[in-house]
Amino acid sequence: MRIQLRRKEEIGHIREAGRILAACHREIAKVIKPGITTSEIDARVEKFLEKNGAFPEQKGYKGFPYATCASVNEVVCHGFPDQRPLQSGDVVTIDMVVNKNGWLADSGWTYAVDQVSPEVRQLMKHTHEALFKGIEAARHGATLGDVGHAIERVAEREGYGIVKPLVGHGIGRAIHEPPDVPNYGTPGRGLKLKAGMVITIEPVFTLGPSGAVFWGDDGWTISSADGSVGAQYEHTIAITRGEAVILTD
């Protein structure tokens, strides 16, 4: 599949999916508290999307059975929603892809459950910072290496691990379109970004410095190899000749 350059109206369709997705995250933020289960959150997301004329694109994607990925603590990505009540001190990442009239937007966010430890709070803060450093670097004429380097510098400065197998990607009509967007890189190297590209940027950091992960028996759940907590923040953006436009804000 070749890299797509989207017309203004096509980006508008993706923005509409992103608007619904962002509104859904705002609703999730209201209910994250000790005692709620990720299964309950998943059900709320399905109802919210249905009410807004959209649906969860990843449900059924390559056999994935849920509307959301719900990743708790050391699970850094693609966690299955379950019946375990969240507890004070947990962090949970809710990641979803919204389909509105055949156009897709993707965003994941890490939420604190009540009070988390200061080191976990800092991990969340700096992973969020890295997302926006990557977005700042993403513009027409820049390279994927520029974007990855901007993200990588934050992790190196704070001593966090980068989960390198997990990358951003193009998006539009399909969940994963080219190009891959790594969270590390060398300035000036790699594919040049062009106005009209729509991509996700999604740093995933761990408290442990290695960033090494393993896949669970379900074939989806990805956990930190050292058991340390992970955080992820993700936006879908459109590349322009100026600042990138966040479509899931």
Side-chain angles (χ1 to χ4, degrees):
M1 184 185 295
R2 65 185 179 86
I3 295 173
Q4 301 287 330
L5 299 182
R6 302 295 183 185
R7 302 188 304 273
K8 184 176 180 180
E9 66 181 78
E10 293 175 321
I11 292 173
H13 292 314
I14 298 170
R15 186 197 292 270
E16 176 60 15
R19 181 192 66 78
I20 295 169
L21 200 165
C24 190
H25 270 299
R26 289 194 293 272
E27 292 302 310
I28 291 169
K30 295 176 185 178
V31 302
I32 297 284
K33 60 184 179 181
I36 195 169
T37 70
T38 49
S39 288
E40 290 175 298
I41 295 169
D42 191 72
R44 284 173 178 264
V45 167
E46 281 218 74
K47 290 179 181 177
F48 183 90
L49 297 184
E50 183 179 4
K51 182 179 177 181
N52 285 274
F55 64 90
E57 180 69 13
Q58 77 264 36
K59 188 172 184 179
Y61 175 75
K62 296 185 177 180
F64 189 82
Y66 300 101
T68 62
C69 298
S71 306
V72 180
N73 296 335
E74 74 281 359
V75 177
V76 297
C77 196
H78 299 161
F80 282 11
D82 62 27
Q83 297 295 331
R84 183 183 75 86
L86 294 175
Q87 300 179 19
S88 180
D90 286 341
V91 295
V92 56
T93 300
I94 304 296
D95 187 7
M96 73 188 90
V97 181
V98 169
N99 184 320
K100 175 68 173 179
N101 297 327
W103 292 96
L104 311 181
D106 187 0
S107 176
W109 218 252
T110 299
Y111 297 93
V113 183
D114 197 26
Q115 298 297 318
V116 299
S117 71
E119 64 175 359
V120 170
R121 181 67 68 181
Q122 288 298 303
L123 172 69
M124 295 170 64
K125 173 185 174 181
H126 293 303
T127 310
H128 183 268
E129 175 193 353
L131 167 65
F132 283 91
K133 291 294 185 183
I135 292 172
E136 287 173 11
R139 59 180 65 202
H140 180 85
T143 68
L144 289 176
D146 296 330
V147 176
H149 182 69
I151 293 168
E152 185 177 22
R153 286 183 63 190
V154 178
E156 289 181 339
R157 184 192 74 205
E158 303 299 330
Y160 298 140
I162 301 172
V163 181
K164 291 186 175 181
L166 300 175
V167 297
H169 49 87
I171 191 168
R173 290 291 201 177
I175 291 180
H176 293 115
E177 299 180 356
D180 286 346
V181 184
N183 294 309
Y184 57 93
T186 302
R189 300 291 296 273
L191 179 77
K192 280 195 174 184
L193 300 175
K194 294 183 179 180
M197 292 173 63
V198 177
I199 61 174
T200 72
I201 294 181
E202 46 183 301
V204 186
F205 292 172
T206 60
L207 273 177
S210 77
V213 292
F214 66 89
W215 270 254
D217 293 339
D218 58 25
W220 285 97
T221 302
I222 302 174
S223 301
S224 64
D226 59 8
S228 65
V229 169
Q232 174 194 14
Y233 293 91
E234 174 188 15
H235 273 311
T236 297
I237 66 170
I239 304 301
T240 75
R241 292 182 180 273
E243 295 182 353
V245 176
I246 300 173
L247 304 178
T248 48
D249 193 6

